[in-house]
């Protein structure tokens, strides 16, 4: 039976580092517990926010293992790390990741399935080769923007959903009309669609998406959860929270993930602001002030909601 993905809020795990630039596994444990305390339904580990393109093969496995051990089965985990160019290495990455207990599905990166921009036939053939090679594994797909964004066709999703091999899509198309089409295409299947875009996610869940899986769940996942949980019982306030989240989401364009790590450092999980994928020297007084202002606004919204 396919791994059944729980609906709700799925943060994309960041990778904390020590000041010597090695991975801070204690902070990973604290961060995993923080996600659970905030009511997240699951964690997408070893993804772009984890800086997977800047991690060694062993580091990716170590992070996934540390996350799984910290979670201890309390919430679900999916993981990627699908970054290699050649198929042999891709297969090894997949096999080793799925040996880790607690990882429910392996998330393929869409651009790795069509590296040479050959088109839909090549994409489908490469995906099917993996599905056939690993019949015991459930899969997701992530439309990762790096090194380039390759959107998945609606027809592929329709077929993959009916085939029962895909259970998770991290959607980054940022187009609410296209997401509606995708939702209709996979209706009634085990394939759950999670919108990664803070500006269009709420429309998606109103039209049947399984939840939010994006950057901003590293800042205030409980506000996403409140809007998700109250979309039917308190739609007016839930919509206003969603409007706040739309505006708050603009901060992800400001030296992420360094600004997120600064947010965690101030509020929740002590960690260095260092990142391998961004120049954290750019996290100047203005950028830090933006994070401090965001925290103040988050606290105001929480007070209005009574949380």
């Amino acid at each position: 039976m396919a791994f059944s993905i729980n609906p709700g809020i799925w943060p994309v795990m960041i990778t904390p580092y020590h000041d010597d630039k090695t991975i801070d596994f204690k902070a990973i444990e604290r961060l995993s517990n923080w996600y659970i305390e905030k009511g997240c339904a699951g964690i997408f580990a070893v993804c772009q926010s984890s800086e997977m393109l800047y991690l060694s093969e062993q580091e990716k496995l170590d992070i996934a293992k540390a996350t799984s051990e910290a979670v201890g089965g309390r919430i679900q985990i999916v993981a990627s790390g699908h970054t290699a160019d050649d198929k042999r290495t891709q297969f090894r990455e997949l096999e080793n990741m799925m040996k880790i207990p607690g990882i429910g599905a392996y998330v393929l990166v869409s651009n790795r399935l069509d590296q040479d921009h050959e088109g839909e036939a090549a994409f489908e053939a490469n995906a099917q080769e993996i599905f056939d090679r690993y019949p015991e594994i459930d899969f997701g797909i992530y439309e990762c923007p790096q090194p380039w964004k390759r959107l998945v066709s609606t027809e592929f999703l329709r077929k993959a959903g009916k085939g029962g091999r895909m259970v998770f899509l991290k959607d980054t198309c940022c187009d609410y009309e296209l997401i509606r089409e995708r939702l209709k295409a996979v209706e009634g299947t085990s394939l759950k669609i999670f919108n990664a875009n803070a500006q269009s996610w709420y429309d998606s869940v109103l039209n049947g998406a399984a939840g939010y899986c994006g950057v901003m769940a590293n800042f205030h996942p409980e506000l996403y959860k409140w809007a998700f949980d109250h979309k039917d019982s308190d739609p007016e306030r839930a919509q206003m929270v969603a409007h706040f989240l739309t505006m708050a989401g603009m901060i992800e364009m400001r030296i992420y993930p360094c600004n997120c790590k600064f947010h965690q450092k101030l509020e929740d999980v002590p960690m260095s602001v260092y990142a391998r994928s961004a120049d954290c020297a750019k996290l100047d007084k203005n950028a830090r002030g933006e994070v401090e202002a965001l925290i103040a606004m988050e606290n105001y919204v929480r007070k209005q909601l009574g949380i």
Side-chain angles (χ1 to χ4, degrees):
M1 180 176 289
F3 178 64
S4 181
I5 297 284
N6 289 333
I9 310 309
W10 283 67
V12 283
M13 175 169 268
I14 56 175
T15 298
Y17 301 98
H18 294 292
D19 289 336
D20 66 1
K21 303 179 182 180
T22 59
I23 295 169
D24 184 348
F25 289 101
K26 191 65 178 176
I28 287 177
E29 179 183 2
R30 290 193 295 262
L31 186 60
S32 299
N33 286 324
W34 181 80
Y35 291 143
I36 294 169
E37 291 164 5
K38 295 294 183 179
C40 297
I43 299 171
F44 182 6
V46 195
C47 54
Q48 182 170 306
S49 283
S50 313
E51 303 177 86
M52 63 180 176
L53 291 167
Y54 299 83
L55 299 170
S56 70
E57 195 171 331
Q58 187 60 51
E59 284 176 326
K60 289 186 284 189
L61 295 173
D62 291 342
I63 288 169
K65 183 173 182 289
T67 304
S68 181
E69 290 177 347
V71 166
R74 290 175 289 170
I75 60 174
Q76 295 180 329
I77 304 171
V78 299
S80 186
H82 182 217
T83 59
D85 293 330
D86 64 287
K87 286 186 177 181
R88 179 178 295 181
T89 305
Q90 287 186 23
F91 294 157
R92 185 179 69 235
E93 288 177 335
L94 189 164
E95 291 164 5
N96 288 335
M97 184 65 72
M98 294 310 295
K99 290 176 183 176
I100 298 172
I103 308 297
Y106 187 81
V107 183
L108 302 167
V109 170
S110 56
N111 61 55
R112 297 299 84 195
L113 299 175
D114 186 19
Q115 294 182 56
D116 298 323
H117 304 265
E118 296 176 279
E120 191 64 16
F123 181 94
E124 290 195 20
N126 288 327
Q128 193 61 50
E129 180 181 6
I130 293 173
F131 294 162
D132 292 343
R133 187 181 180 99
Y134 302 103
E136 75 285 3
I137 293 175
D138 292 309
F139 290 96
I141 287 185
Y142 170 24
E143 295 173 322
C144 182
Q146 297 295 331
W148 59 282
K149 185 188 289 190
R150 204 288 187 187
L151 295 182
V152 181
S153 73
T154 301
E155 185 56 31
F156 173 82
L157 293 175
R158 189 191 321 275
K159 290 188 286 190
K162 289 180 179 178
R165 298 307 312 284
M166 270 187 61
V167 298
F168 175 90
L169 172 70
K170 183 181 176 186
D171 186 305
T172 70
C173 73
C174 306
D175 182 338
Y176 70 90
E177 291 178 337
L178 176 56
I179 297 175
R180 290 180 185 182
E181 292 177 14
R182 291 174 165 188
L183 288 166
K184 289 180 181 178
V186 304
E187 189 174 2
T189 74
S190 59
L191 175 51
K192 304 284 179 55
I193 295 179
F194 289 78
N195 193 338
N197 177 241
Q199 288 70 45
S200 60
W201 81 278
Y202 191 67
D203 181 89
S204 300
V205 300
L206 291 179
N207 284 276
Y212 174 72
C213 179
V215 161
M216 295 308 297
N218 283 310
F219 290 82
H220 37 239
E222 76 280 15
L223 297 183
Y224 280 90
K225 177 175 168 54
W226 195 96
F228 182 82
D229 290 347
H230 292 82
K231 62 185 183 297
D232 298 319
S233 60
D234 195 349
E236 186 174 344
R237 286 208 298 171
Q239 182 66 74
M240 288 307 299
V241 173
H243 287 325
F244 166 75
L245 295 172
T246 291
M247 298 308 298
M250 302 299 287
I251 204 168
E252 74 174 84
M253 294 183 283
R254 286 282 284 167
I255 321 154
Y256 180 82
C258 304
N259 60 352
C260 173
K261 295 179 179 186
F262 182 61
H263 187 290
Q264 285 286 346
K265 182 177 181 179
L266 290 182
E267 283 286 288
D268 300 295
V269 179
M271 65 177 68
S272 167
V273 301
Y274 170 76
R276 296 179 184 177
S277 61
D279 181 4
C280 290
K282 294 179 180 178
L283 194 70
D284 57 16
K285 290 180 180 179
N286 283 337
R288 290 171 185 254
E290 290 166 2
V291 173
E292 291 164 351
L294 176 60
I295 289 171
M297 288 304 300
E298 291 166 348
N299 289 334
Y300 177 80
V301 174
R302 291 185 187 106
K303 184 177 180 180
Q304 300 307 305
L305 298 175
I307 59 175

